[in-house]
Amino acid sequence: MNAIRGTHRLILDDMRWFLKLFTLITLLLVLAYVAVGLIFDVSFPAAAFGPMYGGICGFAVSGMVAIFPVAIGLGSTRTQFMKSFYLNSAGMVIGGITVLNVIYVLMHLLHASGILGVTLYQPGQLYTSAYEWYSYYWVDLMVGFFILGLSAFITVSWIRLGFRNFFIVFFTIALGLTLYITLSDLSGLIRWIVETNSVLLFTLLGAIGGCLLLSTYPMMKHVPLVRKGSKD
């Protein structure tokens, strides 16, 4: 029980640190936008999601690279670590996206009241230009889970394969996708994407991220505590 609590506390503290840090960065960025808009009385669109998405990515990488060997060294099992990591990862995404959307709501109210001309771009605008809190929040959430899953999957693949093998696999997949996109007729796929509800597409994107995240469990069951070098 102590090992379980210790592992969870270790990852939770790391998650809280990332959430607080990137919340602060996001707030400072938004305050800078607000200051420019008020002082110079200008209207312009801006983006504020970059730091928080980066924080989600950073937490995924930090958990697998830095926290994992520490937790195992303190007596945790790989299964215990992964369960706690998944739980806190979900907390990081939900917490970060919630912070973003609270900021979005406040900025929307300021803009709607005519106080501020600055607007913040959201991925949910691909669904509808009219502000819909629930739809926008859900789209942001799905993007967050996709970033989390992709970041964790790439990091674990790098740990398992080593730099050289990972680069070879990555280059092979990238080349294959490039040739497929170049030589194939993607008009049907593009038409399906355009005609399909954007919320559904982002939900599928989030589901892909969740699958990528869960796929790291069998990969981490026998992962070494020390990453493979470039010559391995």
Side-chain angles (χ1 to χ4, degrees), residues 11-229:
I11 302 175
L12 179 62
D13 288 345
D14 191 52
M15 185 271 285
R16 287 174 174 171
W17 184 85
F18 270 92
L19 184 58
K20 291 178 181 178
L21 174 63
F22 286 93
T23 294
L24 177 61
I25 295 174
T26 303
L27 287 174
L28 292 176
L29 180 63
V30 172
L31 288 176
Y33 292 151
V34 171
V36 172
L38 292 177
I39 294 174
F40 297 99
D41 192 23
V42 293
S43 301
F44 60 91
F49 52 74
M52 195 61 74
Y53 288 169
I56 294 172
C57 176
F59 173 72
V61 175
S62 173
M64 295 301 185
V65 175
I67 305 300
F68 173 74
V70 176
I72 300 300
L74 293 176
S76 174
T77 66
R78 286 165 169 77
T79 299
Q80 291 170 355
F81 173 83
M82 294 307 295
K83 287 180 179 180
S84 183
F85 177 76
Y86 290 155
L87 179 62
N88 285 284
S89 294
M92 177 67 189
V93 173
I94 295 172
I97 297 304
T98 300
V99 168
L100 271 180
N101 278 266
V102 169
I103 294 174
Y104 290 150
V105 169
L106 295 176
M107 293 291 288
H108 175 72
L109 292 175
L110 290 174
H111 178 74
S113 63
I115 298 175
L116 185 66
V118 180
T119 57
L120 294 180
Y121 175 78
Q122 293 181 251
Q125 290 175 316
L126 296 174
Y127 168 66
T128 175
S129 58
Y131 187 81
E132 296 182 4
W133 189 86
Y134 293 106
S135 299
Y136 279 29
Y137 181 80
W138 180 256
V139 169
D140 281 340
L141 202 62
M142 293 300 101
V143 173
F145 276 112
F146 178 75
I147 292 174
L148 172 68
L150 183 62
S151 302
F153 181 80
I154 291 176
T155 303
V156 173
S157 298
W158 170 50
I159 295 173
R160 289 287 290 173
L161 297 174
F163 177 78
R164 183 188 62 186
N165 293 334
F166 174 78
F167 178 79
I168 293 173
V169 172
F170 175 80
F171 178 79
T172 302
I173 294 176
L175 179 61
L177 288 176
T178 301
L179 292 176
Y180 177 77
I181 294 173
T182 303
L183 302 177
S184 300
D185 181 12
L186 301 179
S187 58
L189 176 62
I190 295 175
R191 184 167 56 253
W192 178 80
I193 292 175
V194 172
E195 296 176 352
T196 302
N197 186 288
S198 299
V199 172
L200 175 60
L201 289 177
F202 279 103
T203 301
L204 292 175
L205 193 68
I208 292 173
C211 292
L212 290 174
L213 181 64
L214 293 177
S215 70
T216 59
Y217 174 71
M219 298 170 66
M220 292 291 287
K221 286 181 67 175
H222 305 291
V223 71
L225 296 181
V226 180
R227 297 190 304 278
K228 291 184 177 182

